Amino acid sequence: MPKYVYFFGEGKAEGKGTLRDLLGGKGAGLAEMTNAGVPVPPGFTITTEVCRLFYKNKKRVPGSVKKQIDKHLHRLEKAMGSRLGDPEHPLLVSVRSGAKFSMPGMMDTILNLGLNDKTVEGLIRKTKDERFSLDCYRRFIQMFGNVVLGVEKSVFEEVLQGKKKERGIVQDIELTASDLRDLVARFKDTLRHHAKADLPQDNYRQLEMARDAVFLSWNNDRAIFYRRQYNIPESLGTAVNVQAMVFGNMGPTSGTGVGFTRNPSTGEKEFFGEYLTHAQGEDVVAGVRTPKPIRQLKGEMPLVYQELVRITQRLERHYRDVQDFEFTIQQGKLYMLQTRSGKRTGPAAVKIAVDMVQEKLIKPEEAILRVEPDQLHQLLHPRIDARANVKVIAKGLNASPGAAVGKVIFNATEAAEAGKRGERVVLVRQETSPDDIHGIAAAQGILTATGGATSHAVVVSRQMGKPCVAGCSAISIDEERGQFLANGVIVKKGDMIAIDGSTGQVMLGDVPTIQPDIQELEKGEYGKLMRWADQFRRLGVRANADIPRDAIAARHNGAEGIGLCRTEHMFFAKDRLPIMQEMILAQTPEDRKAALDKLAPMQKEDFKGLFRAMGGYPVTIRLLDPPLHEFLPKQGELIAEIQELRFSQGDRSVLHQKEILLDRVEQLHEFNPMLGLRGCRLGITMPEITRMQARSILEAACELSREKIRVYPEIMIPLVGTVEEFRHQKQIVLEVAETVFKAQGVRVQFLVGTMIEIPRAALTADEIAKEADFFSFGTNDLTQMTFGFSRDDTGKFLPKYLAEGILDFDPFVTIDQEGMGQLIRMGTEKGRQSRPDLKVGICGEHGGEPLSVGFCHTLRLNYVSCSPYRVPIARLAAAQAALREELKTKDRRPKTRRRRSKSSKS
């Protein structure tokens, strides 16, 4: 019989051959702390395997598993000297989730389970504390009613607030035993009214229902959303931890808190956290009350504080990572309830990783693997412009750094909808709950009136890199009126505000922000981490850039060349578009060439700017790709303008020109322009275009070469499907090159390659590679053609595909390795069979997505190319792919490594 239940401390939770996959992160931490002699209330873990069985077995736990649960429950009862349901010595337990990967607040918890109308009286007799016992009971009814029976939290909260209003009090702790007894009765009535059920009085039945509710919470909306945000597999499941309760609500010498061994916002090596006296854990993490900074505990309970620091520092050394811990103090005695690797901001992740290398806790390889590539975006967060004249209207806790500016929205769903429309919003809430995750993800920033820097929602905001100001008691929110009041200032829904998550300030209006200085970042921990990453990665990283400004930004971010310059973007400038339209309207090749001759000097200067910015790194220039109609006015607009001119008897010469333009637009009209006259087909039907662009590229290269500036042009023929298409265009480029070199009196090295974006090109890559010097996979179009999806129309069905699990991810964001990825694999392998030294890269936006970068590493591509601002993400992802491959193959290299040569970067 497989083992499905583990008592805390059974088995090995960490290291080689661990049970972490079965116990989940929380269960593994509790087991490890128990084995280390840390004060942990006893309990047991029902494994993730049971969760998978639960879903396979029509959402029922098999009888064989129930027997193991009963056995471990009896062991827990023996350890505690009390029994579940015993009216004289009742055992109270917490029932908590715990997946392999931390998902803070996304799944459910039930505290104080084991209470009913009889056991609560037994608890009163045992503790001689009626108020404490009834407080536990009303908390249990509220949590059980919400998590297990599905009654909204707000329903119970309304009853609670109504009682406090009757009594004229503000804080929960001001409620008397009599008040709480009345609340218990009201909560039971509320449960009966909304759930159409009574609170189960059988405590064993309570445990079964709570256990199943936690398993079901693995598939609640917020947990599913969170997993998709962070690529956590749906198949993992959650463990369930059943643990003896310890109580932080037993008076002034009791309390509960959450902390981190280092500051999760900044990474500073400081003891960071919050706590509440006379409270239970959910009071802190749910954000309902604003807790006290953990440093105040040193004054209130100095011995407990010292023990807490000692234990958590020991845990950090043991795990060699910053720890996120939960604790409860029961009448002066400390208990640890959880430890796990702490969620942290991007800046904190980088600082902690580098500091731990310097402290000799970890090696540079481990530091690289500790930072999620997408977290680097957060180092590039905008900040409030110091020169701006700002009106500060309130100040709260600086919970997550960075500046955010947007319209005030009070509802998470509205924030998510506004985000889809591209609007900037700041989500303003009394307190955020895990149910708000979709709104948090869409908002620029989050502002809350209550809650602390360790509440679940703030932890999630921090992980997502969202600026957050929490516990801002200076604001009073009135959701019914759609406004909040801040120190006499009324701010309404839709008004613009700014928040600074680094200082806690809230400002009125559309406050200007500025980007950080990359060159300054290079001098600190960020620069050190990225230099380590560059030492370990094999994959080169280039940027997609069309103008010198973007190329310079790419170089500052560490790009090793341009992997895609889209020349069509150069023709949309105001001074060029009329000439481009003149070329399109030309009736003869001679007239077309005359227009192109006007564009050629402008193109040449464009290319010189890019070559200069790249300073000797390769520059891949794609010849004209889009359909020509994109450079002309829309047909409907022209028809409307012509009708207006005819009706008003306007200028006849203008009317005539519009009619000629309309005639040409109608000639160029295509039913499916993305599969029509574009790419190499344009160059074949209008070879003058290819000649002009090739001449401009090579003349620019020759002129800079004479200035002793190194240039490496790579000319890319787009949309090739057959080797004959490529050969046709390549021949034109080679003929132009000879003419240019002869005229310039200088020769430069250059390559002619192709973009592989049509499936047929991948299938016949061995033939194309006999002619092409390099391949660059255009993964945007290749995805479109592989799936048969129109990029511009997927919004009509792709969200449904993702919600229904038809697709696990958006294939335009992450490479579809099983489908389109196999075309990349095939094209690369077939191409290198014909040309072993074939240079291969990708240049779609997938080039900056970490999972896609890892896939490109496994295929042994030469480089990826992405947006200039995703270059650091790609660099780090490439290093992580190399290190994970090394760990997987156990191919340990010497500690001293050589930097990669420039040739490997190219």
Side-chain angles (χ1 to χ4, degrees), residues 123-125 127-134 249-251:
L123 187 64
I124 292 170
R125 291 191 292 272
T127 61
K128 298 181 174 55
D129 191 334
E130 183 182 16
R131 190 203 176 281
F132 154 74
S133 303
L134 291 167
N249 57 331
M250 291 189 79

Side-chain angles (χ1 to χ4, degrees), residues 142 145-147 149-159 190-191 194-195 433 435:
Q142 184 171 359
N146 171 240
V147 171
L149 299 178
V151 180
E152 291 292 333
K153 294 177 188 175
S154 57
V155 174
F156 292 106
E157 193 62 30
E158 282 178 22
V159 176
T190 300
L191 199 61
H194 288 275
S433 78
D435 293 326

Side-chain angles (χ1 to χ4, degrees), residues 541-543 551 555 559-565 610-611 613-621 710-715 749 751 774 839 863 865 902-903 905-906:
V541 179
R542 300 189 190 182
R555 283 294 299 125
E560 300 154 329
I562 292 177
L564 175 62
C565 166
L610 289 175
F611 291 144
M614 276 297 111
Y617 283 102
V619 177
T620 304
I621 299 168
R710 289 182 303 158
V711 290
Y712 294 102
E714 298 178 348
I715 299 173
Q749 288 185 332
L751 303 178
F774 66 88
K839 186 187 293 188
Y863 66 86
S865 188
K902 275 192 178 178
S903 61
K905 295 178 185 178
S906 301

Side-chain angles (χ1 to χ4, degrees), residues 33 39 41 96 246-248 254-260 271-277 279-282 284-285 292-295 297 301 304-305 308-309 311-312 324-330 333-339 454:
M33 287 194 293
R96 307 171 82 187
V246 286
F247 303 97
S254 300
T256 187
V258 176
F260 295 80
F271 200 49
F272 179 93
E274 297 168 326
Y275 75 104
L276 288 166
T277 51
Q280 290 196 339
E282 279 299 299
V284 178
V285 297
K292 296 180 274 190
I294 204 164
R295 61 180 175 272
L297 184 63
M301 304 181 208
V304 170
Y305 179 83
L308 182 62
V309 170
I311 288 172
T312 54
D324 166 6
F325 56 86
E326 294 181 18
F327 65 93
T328 286
I329 307 159
Q330 180 175 306
K333 181 171 174 53
L334 175 68
Y335 294 93
M336 301 300 295
L337 304 183
Q338 172 177 285
T339 191
T454 56

Side-chain angles (χ1 to χ4, degrees), residues 560-608:
E560 300 154 329
I562 292 177
L564 175 62
C565 166
R566 305 173 181 90
T567 54
E568 59 270 14
H569 290 178
M570 300 168 175
F571 296 129
F572 284 106
K574 285 184 179 179
D575 59 336
R576 304 182 190 193
L577 189 57
I579 305 172
M580 190 66 182
Q581 291 176 346
E582 180 186 333
M583 187 274 293
I584 296 169
L585 294 171
Q587 297 297 313
T588 66
E590 291 76 22
D591 290 344
R592 194 178 300 122
K593 182 178 179 302
L596 288 167
D597 285 343
K598 296 177 188 176
L599 288 171
M602 302 176 188
Q603 280 265 277
K604 182 171 72 175
E605 289 306 311
D606 291 333
F607 299 139
K608 287 172 78 171

Side-chain angles (χ1 to χ4, degrees), residues 355-548:
D355 284 354
M356 286 190 166
V357 172
Q358 293 170 341
E359 293 165 23
K360 301 191 184 308
L361 281 174
I362 60 176
K363 296 178 180 178
E365 296 97 313
E366 294 170 282
I368 290 166
L369 292 169
R370 290 280 176 90
V371 181
E372 291 294 327
D374 278 327
Q375 285 186 303
L376 295 182
H377 274 308
Q378 298 170 34
L379 277 82
L380 313 178
H381 262 321
R383 64 182 188 274
I384 300 296
D385 189 340
R387 297 166 297 181
N389 184 18
V390 300
K391 182 178 181 179
V392 178
I393 57 173
K395 192 171 187 300
L397 299 172
N398 51 332
S400 185
V405 182
K407 295 178 181 178
V408 168
I409 296 288
F410 295 101
N411 178 278
T413 300
E414 286 184 29
E417 290 169 354
K420 288 177 185 175
R421 297 192 296 270
E423 296 177 24
R424 294 180 299 155
V425 301
V426 173
L427 180 61
V428 180
R429 302 285 282 150
Q430 183 66 30
E431 75 272 343
T432 51
S433 78
D435 293 326
D436 293 332
I437 184 170
H438 58 306
I440 293 170
Q444 264 58 50
I446 296 90
L447 169 64
T448 72
T450 61
T454 56
S455 68
H456 280 319
V458 172
V459 169
V460 171
S461 303
R462 194 180 295 132
Q463 183 184 5
M464 289 183 172
K466 303 287 184 178
C468 179
V469 173
C472 187
S473 56
I475 69 170
S476 175
I477 297 173
D478 187 337
E479 285 195 45
E480 286 188 13
R481 293 186 178 180
Q483 64 184 40
F484 72 82
L485 183 67
N487 293 314
V489 177
I490 295 174
V491 181
K492 296 183 178 180
K493 175 182 173 181
D495 289 349
M496 295 294 288
I497 64 167
I499 62 169
D500 188 339
S502 302
T503 65
Q505 290 182 324
V506 182
M507 292 149 277
L508 196 62
D510 193 349
V511 177
T513 60
I514 56 174
Q515 294 291 336
D517 187 338
I518 296 296
Q519 291 171 311
E520 279 300 311
L521 286 173
E522 285 284 350
K523 297 175 184 176
E525 289 91 357
Y526 167 82
K528 188 167 288 188
L529 183 78
M530 296 311 292
R531 286 190 289 276
W532 289 338
D534 289 340
Q535 288 172 13
F536 289 107
R537 68 183 168 89
R538 181 195 57 76
L539 196 62
V541 179
R542 300 189 190 182
N544 302 338
D546 309 327
I547 57 176

